[in-house]
Amino acid sequence: MTGSLHIGLILFSFVVVCESEPTHAGPDTEGESHGKSPLVHLTSHWAFQLANTSLTFSRADRFCRGQFSSLATLEESEDQEGVFELLQNTRPRLPIWVRDPSKAASRAVALSKQYAEFSALNFPKESREGFARVNMSFPPLPSVSVCVRVQWNPEWTEVSTIFSYAAPIFTNEFQLRGQVDVQGRILLALIIHGKHLPYKASFPNDGAWHHICVTWLRITGHWAIYVDGDRKDMGSGTDSPRNIYGDGIFILGQDQDSFGGNFTEPFFGNITDLNVWNISLETRHIQALNACSPMTPEVLFSWNLADLSSHPTVKEVQVLLFCPAVHQQMELHGCRTLRGWSQQLPLFSWTECSDPLLFICRSRRERYLKMKQMTDSQNSGPTAFMNHLMKLSNKTQAALVQQPSGLSSLAEASALLDLSAQALEDTQQEALEPTDMVSIIQLLSLAADVPAQPGTEATDHSRDVAQELSQHFISVADRIFGGDNALKWEAIKEVVNGPMDVVKSIDRMVTCLSPRLMVETDHLIIHRPNIKVEVQQQTLQGGSRGFSFCGPETSKLDCISVPHQKIQALHDNGFVKLTLVNTWYGSLWPLFNPEENITMVPTVTDGSQRYLGTVLGSSVISTTVMGDNQPVSTAVRFQLQHRVQNPTGTVYDPVCAFWDFDLTPEAGGWWNTKGCDVVSKQYGYTVCSCNHTTNFALLLQVYEAQRSPENEKALQVLTFIGCGVSLCGLLFTFILFIAVGIPKSDRTTVHKNLIVALAIAELLLMCSDWASANEAACFVVTALLHLFFMASFSWMLVEGLLLWSKVVTVNISEDRRMTLYYIIGWGLPVLIVGITLTVSVEEYKADDHCWLNVKTDTIWAFVGPVVFVLVVNTVVLCRVVMVTVSSARRRAKMLSPSSASKIQIFDLTWAVTRPVLILLPVLGLTWLCGVLVHLSVVLAYIFITLNALQGLYIFLVYAVYNSEVRNAIKRIKEKRKALSFTNCSQPTSFLPSQRAPVTSWGRSPPTPSSPETSETSGPASSTYTSLVIKNESFSKESFVSFSLKPASENQVVQLTGFKPSGC
């Protein structure tokens, strides 16, 4: 008694499938060797189980899902071999249900579909003139129905008119239009008496044929749009309750802006099977037409190409369509079945999904073995939870055992959930076993699939039952979501895909029951410690407010909202009633194994941190939007609080994500980030936006900080000090270049521009911390930093090109060369920054500091050019060293053999060392260390030191040890000394006699020009020539001036000496 009761309470658990005989087994179904059940066959990866009962396709699919498996597909060779062996051993009656892998989700199709041949009209995309006209006169129509089969060209995305009817006194009498939306669907809309109805009805833009019917009735104003037999949109009311005017023109493939012409909205694709009635067809009529069944109501116009006249570009084609009512044609659609084998290959067919058939469930081998282990454990003795549940369930045990096809009603599911909730409440969490968890999860999955009894009105009784079911359902789910069950979830991970399986069941249950739950209210809340469910309903109208939902008081930061703009867009598209189902799960993150890494590309790529992995770091929050009881996808905005604390030495970077059930369906889905973006990161929470609705969470990427806070502080201080020293060095160098009067040359001009660009960049870098407090100022500083650092590297590139032209080759004039240098040095950075701002202004700046965003491709607008400059300058440096070494060798060979060897070694060493020391910082090659900073904090110190002191190094190389600067300073000193001699000395003249060069002293006045100016005076500007020399034979500070004065007969040489007289 205990064993059978236990099996009943587990709700068709694995033991039922494994230990029962098949309903339609053949004679060879006796046990296999090794004691295995004849209903199960194991392969190396999969377990195939033949169910022991016949069910419809939809119930069979739900049954397999309740067993944590799926219907077999037979696409892989291993699947075919496994199913073949299973059927050989069991000999069941065929056909049996199998799943069609081409369908994303198993949908019950009531009718099988078959081929039928039709004559169709092709409207080619090459011409916008194509149309076809119906050659008949239409009477005034108090009601009308138009059905047509359409194959839309998937490449056409603009508005198209499928058909238009225009009367002589009113052109837009009756028209059907279509357009492609952002989700790739074809949206349909009617125009009646000139009133444009909303685009709501839709079909996929898949290039397939679709049957479209539209109906209208004047008395009630009721209209409807049907697609493939299903009513997709309906409404009532037009501006003028009158008949559709007669004597009009019916056009296929074009609109009519004027009566019978002025076409502007062409249709591209194929059209066939146009039929028109002067009555409003019922749903059963349209479903019959979709199946190509003959119609009993008399048709006003029946499809016949002889009754059409078309444009020359429109061609007649023959097409095959799916028509279930044409029995002489082969079957194509329905629910897939396996009907036999041919040479060990499966033969498939299509059967009406409402037929009860056997079926095969497929699950992973490890999952099956684990489930069997749990079943054996359950049979050996019930757990404390099961014992307590059996005491409460005496009245339900028999019913459950007799209904292996599932729960049949809301009341039955509610009663069983109520018992389970009581048992869970009475049982301590420590006493709950992993096998109990599996049974409860199966119960929730089956209860979520209970049919909501379509076709019946939502009465008070059904509303009360639905509310009780939802309350009990959430209570049971809340119990197993408790943090104390984390180890139990880990123990059953080989059987259950994880907590998101239960989340999916909750979504199905609440969405299905929402019409009944909201009969007399527009707001419903179900709150448990770990789960909060809120259902909101609103009638849309102009200026409708947005929806928002937050977690409980303890988690006010966990919120999700649908912006009012999106709500208004739904209203503009014709939706009347909007229902939102919001759910908050506060304790899912501890149930995910923290040691199980979530595979994801790291977002921090600047090398400052080492990526360790990704974990779930927040609550899970979801929203489902239904417009007029149809699921609608819309953009949402949510914020979630960080639930994981940072261990020492690690940091987290939040990523907005959602659970994608279609990603790796065998594992129940996985996290996905497509369509979700981070809006802002705040302390303790993150704000996100996504372009769709589902279950959302924050994934925290874990990084190991490579630098301690002390190192970070030290590096910041070192950077600030180094930038200050560098800025001073650059300023002194620039001042020296201006003050000492260095002769103008292309080399000094390049040096000055490099100094200006680098100095401004260093100054902006020092001020960037203060600008980060203001968003606009920080953006401006980021752009200027980008510009001037790019200019610095551009002038470093020019330094390399100039060095190449001086040392390696000369092939361009100096004037043209400087023009090119200015274009590279300033024009190229402006161009790069301008393009970057134009293309990615929204993603330009980083979130928390004034620099480029390293998490997007924007950073390559700086890194790319820098890498190019470094590569070019490295090549230049290597070439310069080679040329210098070659010159040193040639000089060494010219020396005497005795000293050549010793001098050659010295020259070669200096020839290599000198350009490297001089050119490394100037060419920016010290930035190569930046590639390796993520390897060690020591390299970070070296990198910051070398580059922060770049200005000081330039000062030493281009100012202190620059021969041009030193010579200019020396000339200034000598000039000042010469002026001091002029101010404190008296001249003495030596006039030679005509006999001999006898020198004598005279007291003639000094020459008006100074020695410096006399040195540069030319003969054209003076009647005599003066030469100043330094005479070492006089005193140390004496100068002698010789003047040559022309005479009529002979030359007179005048010698004037200046010497100190007491100065």
Side-chain angles (χ1 to χ4, degrees):
M1 176 66 181
T2 303
S4 61
L5 180 61
H6 183 209
I7 294 173
L9 292 173
I10 296 177
L11 299 175
F12 344 114
S13 68
F14 219 74
V15 67
V16 178
V17 179
C18 296
E19 296 184 354
S20 302
E21 293 297 321
T23 304
H24 307 288
D28 300 328
T29 58
E30 299 298 323
E32 293 180 347
S33 58
H34 309 294
K36 293 182 181 177
S37 169
L39 296 181
V40 178
H41 179 76
L42 301 179
T43 66
S44 58
H45 297 95
W46 303 103
F48 297 92
Q49 311 157 61
L50 178 64
N52 70 331
T53 186
S54 297
L55 301 176
T56 63
F57 183 86
S58 60
R59 286 181 174 267
D61 183 56
R62 291 199 297 266
F63 180 90
C64 291
R65 188 166 61 243
Q67 304 301 322
F68 311 111
S69 59
S70 61
L71 283 174
T73 60
L74 277 71
E75 291 302 304
E76 303 293 334
S77 59
E78 185 178 355
D79 294 354
Q80 296 174 7
E81 294 172 2
V83 172
F84 180 80
E85 292 293 334
L86 176 61
L87 297 182
Q88 285 291 316
N89 294 330
T90 56
R91 304 286 183 179
R93 182 181 301 169
L94 299 178
I96 62 174
W97 295 126
V98 291
R99 185 166 58 90
D100 184 2
S102 63
K103 296 182 179 180
S106 298
R107 288 188 59 190
V109 181
L111 299 173
S112 59
K113 297 184 179 180
Q114 302 170 354
Y115 276 128
E117 187 174 13
F118 283 79
S119 296
L121 294 179
N122 173 254
F123 296 81
K125 190 178 179 182
E126 289 73 23
S127 173
R128 299 176 63 93
E129 307 297 327
F131 71 92
R133 176 174 175 173
V134 177
N135 298 325
M136 71 166 290
S137 176
F138 289 88
L141 299 173
S143 59
V144 66
S145 296
V146 180
C147 292
V148 65
R149 298 183 188 272
V150 173
Q151 187 180 35
W152 191 284
N153 188 333
E155 298 179 357
W156 182 248
T157 59
E158 298 182 16
V159 176
S160 297
T161 300
I162 298 175
F163 68 79
S164 62
Y165 177 80
I169 60 177
F170 199 87
T171 56
N172 291 324
E173 268 291 80
F174 199 66
Q175 186 179 136
L176 179 63
R177 297 153 57 89
Q179 68 174 8
V180 181
D181 69 352
V182 294
Q183 299 178 2
R185 302 175 302 171
I186 308 297
L187 301 180
L188 300 175
L190 269 175
I191 296 180
I192 305 175
H193 298 330
K195 180 179 179 180
H196 199 304
L197 299 172
Y199 285 100
K200 288 177 59 177
S202 67
F203 60 88
N205 187 15
D206 51 7
W209 283 94
H210 294 278
H211 185 253
I212 303 172
C213 287
V214 296
T215 65
W216 174 76
L217 182 62
R218 177 184 60 82
I219 297 176
T220 61
H222 180 80
W223 58 267
I225 301 178
Y226 295 82
V227 177
D228 297 331
D230 297 328
R231 187 169 59 193
K232 296 292 186 178
D233 194 15
M234 60 180 293
S236 60
T238 55
D239 291 341
S240 54
R242 58 172 175 81
N243 292 345
I244 292 178
Y245 292 126
D247 299 325
I249 298 176
F250 196 107
I251 296 293
L252 282 174
Q254 292 280 4
D255 69 331
Q256 303 178 59
D257 285 349
S258 61
F259 184 61
N262 197 12
F263 304 141
T264 58
E265 295 177 353
F267 167 84
F268 297 121
N270 298 320
I271 293 179
T272 187
D273 198 22
L274 171 69
N275 296 277
V276 183
W277 294 264
N278 59 354
I279 62 172
S280 178
L281 297 178
E282 300 177 9
T283 301
R284 59 187 179 89
H285 295 146
I286 293 174
Q287 290 177 343
L289 286 169
N290 180 55
C292 302
S293 178
M295 276 289 298
T296 53
E298 183 177 354
V299 64
L300 185 64
F301 173 81
S302 182
W303 179 252
N304 189 344
L305 294 182
D307 296 331
L308 298 173
S309 57
S310 58
H311 190 270
T313 59
V314 178
K315 305 298 181 182
E316 179 182 348
V317 294
Q318 298 297 316
V319 296
L320 289 176
L321 302 182
F322 307 143
C323 284
V326 184
H327 300 291
Q328 68 272 20
Q329 302 297 332
M330 61 177 295
E331 294 181 344
L332 275 186
H333 277 297
C335 290
R336 199 184 197 195
T337 57
L338 174 66
R339 61 182 178 85
W341 298 84
S342 176
Q343 298 180 353
Q344 294 189 346
L345 293 177
L347 297 177
F348 300 109
S349 62
W350 303 89
T351 305
E352 290 190 7
C353 301
S354 58
D355 290 349
L357 298 176
L358 294 178
F359 55 94
I360 295 177
C361 298
R362 186 190 73 164
S363 63
R364 294 197 303 270
R365 178 188 176 97
E366 296 79 6
R367 176 171 292 175
Y368 166 78
L369 295 176
K370 185 67 174 179
M371 282 287 291
K372 194 165 189 318
Q373 179 185 353
M374 290 183 175
T375 301
D376 295 340
S377 174
Q378 291 170 352
N379 289 333
S380 63
T383 63
F385 169 77
M386 283 298 176
N387 274 325
H388 190 67
L389 185 58
M390 285 188 289
K391 294 178 182 179
L392 300 173
S393 59
N394 289 331
K395 296 181 180 179
T396 61
Q397 179 251 336
L400 287 174
V401 173
Q402 293 172 3
Q403 298 181 27
S405 60
L407 301 173
S408 59
S409 67
L410 296 177
E412 182 181 358
S414 177
L416 187 55
L417 287 169
D418 185 23
L419 292 175
S420 301
Q422 294 180 37
L424 285 170
E425 185 176 356
D426 297 339
T427 305
Q428 297 293 330
Q429 288 289 338
E430 295 77 9
L432 196 64
E433 299 292 337
T435 54
D436 302 330
M437 295 277 291
V438 173
S439 301
I440 295 170
I441 295 170
Q442 285 181 301
L443 170 60
L444 292 173
S445 178
L446 291 172
D449 288 327
V450 173
Q453 301 175 357
T456 62
E457 295 296 329
T459 63
D460 292 341
H461 175 70
S462 65
R463 182 202 65 198
D464 295 338
V465 173
Q467 288 185 350
E468 290 178 0
L469 173 61
S470 59
Q471 295 279 352
H472 299 329
F473 196 106
I474 299 302
S475 296
V476 173
D478 179 77
R479 286 285 180 175
I480 63 175
F481 277 166
D484 297 337
N485 293 324
L487 295 179
K488 300 181 182 66
W489 281 101
E490 180 67 18
I492 64 174
K493 66 178 183 180
E494 295 180 2
V495 177
V496 182
N497 291 321
M500 298 307 294
D501 275 0
V502 180
V503 170
K504 188 175 183 179
S505 297
I506 294 176
D507 291 343
R508 293 204 313 271
M509 184 273 299
V510 180
T511 302
C512 179
L513 291 181
S514 60
R516 297 174 180 270
L517 294 173
M518 308 305 290
V519 172
E520 294 183 352
T521 182
D522 58 0
H523 192 207
L524 174 68
I525 296 179
I526 304 174
H527 187 199
R528 297 294 182 269
N530 301 309
I531 303 174
K532 180 181 178 181
V533 177
E534 183 179 72
V535 184
Q536 304 178 63
Q537 188 168 283
Q538 175 181 332
T539 300
L540 296 180
Q541 54 189 355
S544 297
R545 59 179 176 83
F547 283 86
S548 62
F549 164 75
C550 293
E553 292 295 325
T554 57
S555 303
K556 288 185 177 180
L557 291 178
D558 296 338
C559 297
I560 190 169
S561 63
V562 179
H564 69 91
Q565 297 92 339
K566 302 300 180 182
I567 302 296
Q568 187 62 40
L570 294 175
H571 173 262
D572 296 340
N573 287 331
F575 289 100
V576 177
K577 183 179 66 176
L578 195 66
T579 305
L580 273 81
V581 178
N582 303 299
T583 316
W584 171 86
Y585 305 95
S587 60
L588 289 187
W589 59 271
L591 306 183
F592 285 84
N593 184 5
E595 297 180 357
E596 182 180 357
N597 181 34
I598 300 174
T599 304
M600 185 172 293
V601 177
T603 57
V604 178
T605 57
D606 60 357
S608 62
Q609 299 160 347
R610 185 166 67 89
Y611 176 65
L612 299 179
T614 303
V615 298
L616 176 63
S618 72
S619 302
V620 175
I621 197 166
S622 70
T623 187
T624 301
V625 180
M626 292 183 292
D628 298 336
N629 295 326
Q630 299 180 20
V632 178
S633 182
T634 185
V636 297
R637 185 184 181 101
F638 63 93
Q639 67 177 35
L640 291 171
Q641 184 177 358
H642 304 167
R643 298 286 180 176
V644 181
Q645 300 298 325
N646 294 15
T648 304
T650 62
V651 294
Y652 290 120
D653 188 50
V655 178
C656 304
F658 67 96
W659 187 266
D660 189 351
F661 289 101
D662 296 329
L663 203 62
T664 62
E666 288 292 343
W670 199 242
W671 295 108
N672 198 344
T673 60
K674 185 177 181 181
C676 292
D677 298 297
V678 175
V679 176
S680 65
K681 300 176 185 177
Q682 308 296 333
Y683 180 76
Y685 69 94
T686 298
V687 182
C688 305
S689 66
C690 292
N691 60 7
H692 55 275
T693 55
T694 184
N695 300 281
F696 303 102
L698 289 181
L699 302 181
L700 300 183
Q701 294 195 336
V702 188
Y703 297 89
E704 180 184 6
Q706 296 293 298
R707 305 165 190 153
S708 65
E710 294 78 12
N711 281 328
E712 286 290 340
K713 185 64 176 178
L715 290 173
Q716 290 179 2
V717 173
L718 182 61
T719 300
F720 189 85
I721 296 175
C723 286
V725 174
S726 179
L727 183 60
C728 293
L730 293 170
L731 290 176
F732 289 153
T733 305
F734 187 82
I735 292 172
L736 278 176
F737 273 33
I738 300 299
V740 302
I742 297 177
K744 184 178 180 181
S745 65
D746 54 357
R747 183 169 56 186
T748 57
T749 302
V750 171
H751 292 344
K752 291 177 183 178
N753 282 275
L754 172 60
I755 291 169
V756 169
L758 196 56
I760 297 176
E762 299 275 13
L763 181 61
L764 289 170
L765 185 61
M766 295 175 65
C767 301
S768 61
D769 285 341
W770 291 291
S772 60
N774 185 288
E775 186 72 15
C778 190
F779 188 91
V780 173
V781 169
T782 300
L784 292 176
L785 276 172
H786 188 195
L787 173 63
F788 284 101
F789 268 116
M790 279 304 308
S792 300
F793 277 95
S794 298
W795 283 107
M796 292 176 193
L797 175 63
V798 171
E799 290 276 4
L801 298 177
L802 178 63
L803 188 62
W804 181 276
S805 66
K806 295 290 186 182
V807 178
V808 179
T809 181
V810 180
N811 54 8
I812 188 171
S813 65
E814 182 173 340
D815 292 337
R816 292 175 57 194
R817 188 165 59 214
M818 283 309 304
T819 302
L820 176 63
Y821 289 166
Y822 275 111
I823 293 174
I824 296 175
W826 293 112
L828 190 60
V830 171
L831 180 65
I832 293 174
V833 174
I835 293 176
T836 306
L837 286 172
T838 302
V839 173
S840 58
V841 65
E842 298 295 334
E843 302 174 344
Y844 185 74
K845 188 185 76 66
D847 294 330
D848 51 354
H849 58 278
C850 302
W851 183 236
L852 300 179
N853 193 343
V854 299
K855 297 182 180 179
T856 63
D857 293 336
T858 306
I859 189 61
W860 286 102
F862 177 76
V863 174
V866 167
V867 171
F868 174 78
V869 170
L870 297 181
V871 170
V872 172
N873 283 350
T874 301
V875 174
V876 170
L877 180 62
C878 293
R879 183 59 178 160
V880 168
V881 170
M882 292 173 60
V883 172
T884 308
V885 170
S886 177
S887 300
R889 286 178 176 173
R890 285 196 299 269
R891 286 198 305 271
K893 291 181 180 180
M894 298 173 60
L895 300 175
S896 60
S898 60
S899 59
S901 177
K902 182 176 179 180
I903 296 178
Q904 184 179 15
I905 295 175
F906 175 82
D907 284 350
L908 290 177
T909 303
W910 181 240
V912 174
T913 305
R914 184 174 181 273
V916 170
L917 291 177
I918 294 176
L919 298 177
L920 269 178
V922 177
L923 300 182
L925 299 182
T926 53
W927 281 70
L928 290 173
C929 298
V931 181
L932 308 174
V933 293
H934 65 284
L935 299 177
S936 172
V937 70
V938 176
L939 291 174
Y941 277 102
I942 295 174
F943 171 70
I944 291 177
T945 303
L946 289 176
N947 290 280
L949 301 179
Q950 187 176 15
L952 180 60
Y953 202 101
I954 290 176
F955 172 73
L956 294 175
V957 173
Y958 286 156
V960 177
Y961 296 106
N962 188 343
S963 59
E964 290 181 331
V965 175
R966 298 176 70 180
N967 289 337
I969 295 174
K970 188 175 181 180
R971 286 196 300 271
I972 292 175
K973 289 181 179 180
E974 290 175 347
K975 182 176 180 180
R976 289 179 178 176
K977 291 176 182 178
L979 289 176
S980 66
F981 286 135
T982 304
N983 294 332
C984 61
S985 300
Q986 293 180 346
T988 302
S989 298
F990 299 92
L991 297 176
S993 65
Q994 297 183 4
R995 291 184 181 180
V998 179
T999 302
S1000 62
W1001 293 96
R1003 297 185 178 269
S1004 61
T1007 59
S1009 62
S1010 66
E1012 187 71 16
T1013 57
S1014 299
E1015 177 183 345
T1016 59
S1017 300
S1021 61
S1022 178
T1023 57
Y1024 62 92
T1025 300
S1026 176
L1027 176 63
V1028 179
I1029 64 171
K1030 184 175 181 179
N1031 192 347
E1032 299 294 342
S1033 62
F1034 285 80
S1035 63
K1036 184 177 181 181
E1037 299 294 333
S1038 299
F1039 290 84
V1040 179
S1041 175
F1042 295 94
S1043 298
L1044 300 178
K1045 188 174 182 180
S1048 58
E1049 297 180 358
N1050 54 11
Q1051 295 287 340
V1052 177
V1053 179
Q1054 180 181 359
L1055 174 62
T1056 305
F1058 293 88
K1059 67 178 181 177
S1061 56
C1063 294

